[in-house]
Amino acid sequence: MIVLDNVSFRYSNDTAWVLKNNSLRIDQGEYIAILGQNGAGKSTLVRLLNGLLRPTQGNVYINGMNTSNSSVAELAREVGLVFQNPDHQLFAQTVRDELQFSVKTLEWSAEKQNNAIKETLTQLDLTLFSDRSPFKLSGGEKRRTSIGTIWVRDPSILILDEPTTGQDAVQKRNLASLLSRLQTYGKTIFLVTHDIEFTIKHCPRVIILKEGQIIGDGPTMKVFSNQRIMSEACLFPPQIIRLIWKLQETHPNLSMPNNPQEFTQSIENFLKNQ
């Protein structure tokens, strides 16, 4: 569980606030995206979650631990961050070596380390690549390997920074399938992203930041269909939302679906009644 209790942050007393008076609760097992323009405070928020930064005011709790009283090492056992560019996270000779390096600092027995590596290779479909150099893998395979270096440590919270950047449509589908599968293990999946279309298809909950403050938080369709929030955040609504809005101009009784899965049924019902 992640709890932000009236959290504000600035880098020094003579600089502007980067985050201002934010409160938030994320329960275990949620799948969430956080969006906002550059400079909205997304990266700072992530650094507060993994302990690289500490709040100037307020408190951040990760599974009951106050980050201000916890070491980065302690928080790293609970929160795993996957970099935007896999090449910035990978360095070892083989995929197996990458995972081995990630767990060797943990106080685990050799047997537990080997089991964790084996399970991670299986869960992320990396077994066939375990003895290959990560730098000779495809973009999608590198992405899975970078996730694996964090996943192997068994964190309860997995944060991915701009995971769809540079990914084509096939790679995005594969990533979506992978994250959906990983969520079945009870982990909290947290995406920092600009990809609105990916978010509306796959993330049940969205958080919108503007100038360091949360201005939207809730079910993705509900937040994205709020014209005030989207306008304030300078975000362009996804195609599904724009289509419903257009139809509502002449058919105000047409309701907004609760999720993309209901969208097709809503349109079918609309056409039948014409």
Side-chain angles (χ1 to χ4, degrees):
M1 179 190 298
I2 300 170
V3 176
L4 273 65
D5 180 16
N6 200 31
V7 169
S8 298
F9 178 83
R10 60 183 175 184
Y11 286 93
S12 66
N13 291 334
D14 57 354
T15 59
W17 292 98
V18 182
L19 294 172
K20 295 172 287 188
N21 305 320
N22 291 296
S23 293
L24 177 68
R25 175 188 171 119
I26 299 173
D27 292 324
Q28 180 179 343
E30 288 199 73
Y31 186 0
I32 298 172
I34 180 168
L35 291 90
Q37 287 194 311
N38 291 335
K42 302 186 299 298
S43 296
T44 300
L45 178 59
V46 167
R47 292 187 179 98
L48 288 171
L49 297 183
N50 65 11
L52 293 178
L53 296 176
R54 310 303 166 102
T56 307
Q57 296 177 358
N59 295 286
V60 177
Y61 299 94
I62 303 295
N63 295 334
M65 295 190 302
N66 189 324
T67 61
S68 295
N69 304 324
S70 306
S71 68
V72 174
E74 289 174 321
L75 293 169
R77 297 188 181 99
E78 301 293 333
V79 182
L81 174 62
V82 180
F83 296 171
Q84 176 178 337
N85 187 339
D87 288 335
H88 294 165
Q89 195 158 347
L90 305 175
F91 61 90
Q93 295 293 317
T94 68
V95 171
R96 185 183 299 277
D97 289 342
E98 292 281 0
L99 304 188
Q100 181 68 58
F101 179 85
S102 188
V103 297
K104 74 177 185 178
T105 58
L106 302 175
E107 296 177 356
W108 290 357
S109 66
E111 181 181 7
K112 184 174 181 179
Q113 290 184 26
N114 290 332
N115 287 339
I117 292 170
K118 182 178 180 180
E119 290 175 7
T120 299
L121 290 170
T122 300
Q123 291 165 356
L124 300 183
D125 299 323
L126 290 169
T127 302
L128 294 177
F129 310 108
S130 61
D131 295 321
R132 290 182 58 183
S133 167
F135 299 105
K136 294 183 178 180
L137 302 178
S138 69
E141 291 158 359
K142 283 184 179 180
R143 174 71 64 186
R144 295 206 306 274
T145 301
S146 66
I147 293 175
T149 63
I150 303 302
W151 189 260
V152 71
R153 300 171 63 90
D154 195 30
S156 62
I157 300 163
L158 186 66
I159 301 174
L160 295 96
D161 186 12
E162 298 289 356
T164 62
T165 298
Q167 305 283 298
D168 61 23
V170 173
Q171 290 172 327
K172 286 185 180 183
R173 285 197 298 270
N174 291 338
L175 176 65
S177 176
L178 171 62
L179 294 179
S180 179
R181 190 165 77 246
L182 296 183
Q183 195 196 12
T184 64
Y185 292 94
K187 309 297 185 182
T188 302
I189 308 293
F190 196 93
L191 307 186
V192 179
T193 184
H194 286 92
D195 195 331
I196 288 181
E197 296 296 342
F198 186 91
T199 299
I200 199 169
K201 289 178 182 177
H202 305 293
C203 301
R205 178 180 171 188
V206 66
I207 296 166
I208 306 292
L209 272 176
K210 176 194 176 185
E211 297 177 352
Q213 290 187 299
I214 296 172
I215 63 170
D217 176 15
T220 301
M221 288 288 286
K222 183 176 181 180
V223 173
F224 280 173
S225 62
N226 187 310
Q227 297 191 43
R228 178 189 61 80
I229 290 174
M230 298 301 282
S231 177
E232 284 187 16
C234 298
L235 296 175
F236 197 56
Q239 293 179 350
I240 290 176
I241 302 294
R242 299 201 307 273
L243 176 56
I244 294 293
W245 283 348
K246 190 65 176 178
L247 293 172
Q248 287 175 336
E249 291 177 2
T250 53
H251 300 81
N253 292 328
L254 178 63
S255 62
M256 180 69 66
N258 293 317
N259 53 62
Q261 290 71 33
E262 292 182 7
F263 173 74
T264 301
Q265 188 61 51
S266 296
I267 296 301
E268 288 180 355
N269 292 338
F270 169 75
L271 294 174
K272 286 179 182 178
N273 294 325
Q274 299 309 300

